[in-house]
Amino acid sequence: MSILQYILQYPNRLRHRHGFGVQSPWAYEFVRDALFEKRRYYVFDSLQGSRADEQLFRIVQWLRPEEITEHASSATTHQYIEAAKNVTHPSAVHLHYFSEEASRDLEEMLQSEGSFSANTCLVIDGIHSVHEAVWQQLLQHPRITSSFSLRKRGIALFDPARQRKNYIL
């Protein structure tokens, strides 16, 4: 993403950052409570990770996935995911996390049509650098319903119960 594109998208990103302009109640809660929550959780002091790891913790905690597949994640990121997935009532979501080093895994998953079932969630780091072409191709996928384009991370959901919308945050 070029600097000019980022500057032109900045007002739209700023408006949606706290959920303003997001009409879906589910998406509004997800933006407000998972993506841009400011309060610190109990495990953040003991794990000492980055803000991106803390955001991933909140995403996993909010979605409560039944199954998580990590593709080339670091040891710190893995610790955050493990700390977040200890929930009592998991949902039927299958979450796939792709770090910036997992380019080949993401491309292979995109090529195999059977890998995107209902209730699949993709969390992809580096959507405007390493995975930019794959992210643009994924946004055109016919089964994707909700997607969230953050500055460095993209989240794509395959849920047939939701309407198709891409939120630029």
Side-chain angles (χ1 to χ4, degrees), residues 9-53:
Q9 287 183 351
Y10 187 75
N12 193 27
R13 288 179 187 269
L14 189 62
R15 183 172 62 104
H16 288 156
R17 179 149 309 247
H18 298 289
F20 302 125
V22 178
Q23 298 298 318
S24 169
W26 175 87
Y28 174 77
E29 287 181 23
F30 183 67
V31 168
R32 189 190 64 207
D33 296 341
L35 299 181
F36 297 111
E37 176 66 45
K38 296 292 185 196
R39 290 178 285 184
R40 294 185 55 80
Y41 280 75
Y42 57 95
V43 297
F44 292 172
D45 295 330
S46 63
L47 294 177
Q48 302 298 323
S50 66
R51 293 186 74 132
D53 291 332

Side-chain angles (χ1 to χ4, degrees), residues 108-121:
E108 287 175 6
M109 187 174 192
L110 193 60
Q111 297 302 324
S112 65
E113 283 296 318
S115 58
F116 298 128
S117 61
N119 296 325
T120 299
C121 176

Side-chain angles (χ1 to χ4, degrees), residues 76-93:
T76 307
T77 303
H78 177 71
Q79 288 177 342
Y80 272 88
I81 291 173
E82 286 296 317
K85 74 178 187 179
N86 295 328
V87 295
T88 54
H89 303 291
S91 64
V93 173

Side-chain angles (χ1 to χ4, degrees), residues 151-168:
R151 186 161 186 223
K152 294 182 180 180
R153 177 174 283 162
I155 302 163
L157 295 149
F158 297 84
D159 188 357
R162 306 201 188 286
Q163 291 183 347
R164 186 175 177 89
K165 179 74 174 165
N166 181 28
Y167 299 99
I168 299 173

Side-chain angles (χ1 to χ4, degrees), residues 26 63 92-96 98 106 109-124 134-135 137-148 154-165:
W26 175 87
L63 288 174
V93 173
H94 183 182
L95 186 131
H96 292 272
F98 294 92
L106 182 59
M109 187 174 192
L110 193 60
Q111 297 302 324
S112 65
E113 283 296 318
S115 58
F116 298 128
S117 61
N119 296 325
T120 299
C121 176
L122 305 178
V123 179
I124 304 166
V134 176
W135 178 250
Q137 185 180 359
L138 187 63
L139 289 178
Q140 304 303 320
H141 196 280
R143 294 181 57 199
I144 192 171
T145 54
S146 299
S147 61
F148 299 88
I155 302 163
L157 295 149
F158 297 84
D159 188 357
R162 306 201 188 286
Q163 291 183 347
R164 186 175 177 89
K165 179 74 174 165

